[in-house]
């Protein structure tokens, strides 16, 4: 599988017929993601090639997988930090912001303070003021709302093994627990 070739074909469609609607792009990338997801090296190549394309539309899906991996192996943060940088430099659309919020809350809550400060200094503080504001609100939320933050972390831990599903992640924790027990 030639990942670059596949992504270039999708990019042509994204800037052509799919420019107004992201869902066909997301569906195509989810299919490609599923094909490469079982091979870690192939997935990492997919991540590197995909993270700076499509205006950041697929960054939340990539972040989901790497956050799940990070929770198991906290020393594996390099790809998460690269994805954060890609997200900061993306179009930063409202849809991606909504998808990233619970993932970022979980990341900031579980990451070492030193690493969060490093990301803030090297990436966030050098970004556009609206981007800085978004991240500062999230970091402040994590620091000031421990109970809510714990719920975000618990929700992600319940879902981390499945393919990214933001509709499930947005469910209230009680509904999510019930849904996962009945699945």
């Amino acid at each position: 599988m030639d990942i670059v070739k596949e992504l270039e074909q999708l990019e042509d469609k994204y800037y052509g017929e799919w420019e107004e609607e992201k869902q066909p792009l997301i569906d195509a990338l989810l299919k490609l993601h599923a094909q490469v997801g079982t091979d870690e090296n192939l997935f990492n190549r997919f991540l590197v090639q995909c993270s700076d394309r499509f205006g950041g539309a697929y960054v939340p899906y990539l972040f989901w997988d790497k956050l799940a991996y990070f929770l198991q192996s906290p020393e594996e943060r390099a790809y998460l930090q690269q994805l954060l940088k890609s997200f900061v430099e993306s179009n930063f659309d409202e849809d991606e912001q909504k998808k990233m919020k619970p993932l970022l809350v979980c990341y900031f809550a579980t990451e070492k303070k030193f690493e969060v400060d490093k990301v803030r200094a090297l990436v966030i503080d050098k970004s556009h003021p609206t981007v800085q504001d978004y991240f500062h609100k999230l970091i402040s939320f994590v620091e000031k709302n421990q109970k809510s933050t714990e719920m975000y972390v618990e929700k992600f831990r319940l879902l981390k093994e499945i393919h990214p599903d933001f509709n499930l992640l947005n469910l209230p924790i009680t509904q999510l627990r019930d849904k996962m027990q009945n699945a």
Side-chain angles (χ1 to χ4, degrees):
M1 170 187 293
D2 187 350
I3 294 171
V4 173
K5 190 175 187 178
E6 296 276 338
L7 291 173
E8 284 174 354
Q9 289 173 351
L10 290 175
E11 201 165 33
D12 289 342
K13 288 183 180 179
Y14 175 70
Y15 290 111
E17 61 193 82
W18 293 344
E19 199 156 2
E20 296 300 317
E21 178 62 41
K22 290 182 188 177
Q23 197 54 51
L25 169 73
I26 298 298
D27 293 341
L29 287 168
L30 282 169
K31 185 177 176 185
L32 189 57
H33 186 157
Q35 290 174 347
V36 302
T38 56
D39 179 333
E40 188 178 346
N41 289 331
L42 193 56
F43 177 75
N44 288 338
R45 284 196 347 242
F46 172 67
L47 180 148
V48 168
Q49 291 295 321
C50 188
S51 63
D52 292 328
R53 295 177 189 242
F54 316 112
Y58 203 69
V59 169
Y61 298 86
L62 299 169
F63 200 87
W64 179 299
D65 275 1
K66 284 303 176 181
L67 181 59
Y69 188 64
F70 170 77
L71 292 178
Q72 294 171 341
S73 303
E75 66 281 355
E76 296 293 329
R77 66 181 45 87
Y79 284 111
L80 275 178
Q81 292 175 349
Q82 178 183 345
L83 287 168
L84 269 169
K85 186 173 189 278
S86 294
F87 180 61
V88 164
E89 294 172 354
S90 73
N91 288 345
F92 213 76
D93 287 347
E94 187 176 332
D95 188 44
E96 286 80 31
Q97 290 178 40
K98 286 179 183 178
K99 288 176 180 172
M100 285 293 285
K101 179 184 175 184
L103 302 176
L104 290 169
V105 167
C106 185
Y107 172 67
F108 291 138
T110 55
E111 180 59 283
K112 295 176 186 174
K113 183 165 177 21
F114 169 78
E115 294 294 338
V116 172
D117 290 344
K118 186 169 86 174
V119 167
R120 183 185 282 177
L122 296 175
V123 178
I124 297 168
D125 290 345
K126 295 178 180 179
S127 65
H128 188 275
T130 57
V131 176
Q132 289 179 28
D133 186 50
Y134 172 81
F135 277 95
H136 291 303
K137 284 179 183 176
L138 283 177
I139 292 168
S140 178
F141 176 86
V142 169
E143 292 169 353
K144 294 177 182 175
N145 298 289
Q146 187 174 4
K147 288 275 190 212
S148 296
T149 298
E150 287 171 6
M151 281 193 274
Y152 276 108
V153 172
E154 182 180 351
K155 285 176 16 174
F156 185 75
R157 287 186 190 275
L158 287 169
L159 297 172
K160 70 180 181 170
E161 300 300 324
I162 69 168
H163 209 58
D165 187 332
F166 292 95
N167 291 327
L168 279 177
L169 187 58
N170 288 329
L171 288 175
I173 188 73
T174 53
Q175 286 181 5
L176 181 59
R177 282 187 201 127
D178 290 343
K179 194 167 190 88
M180 296 306 287
Q181 287 175 346
N182 296 329

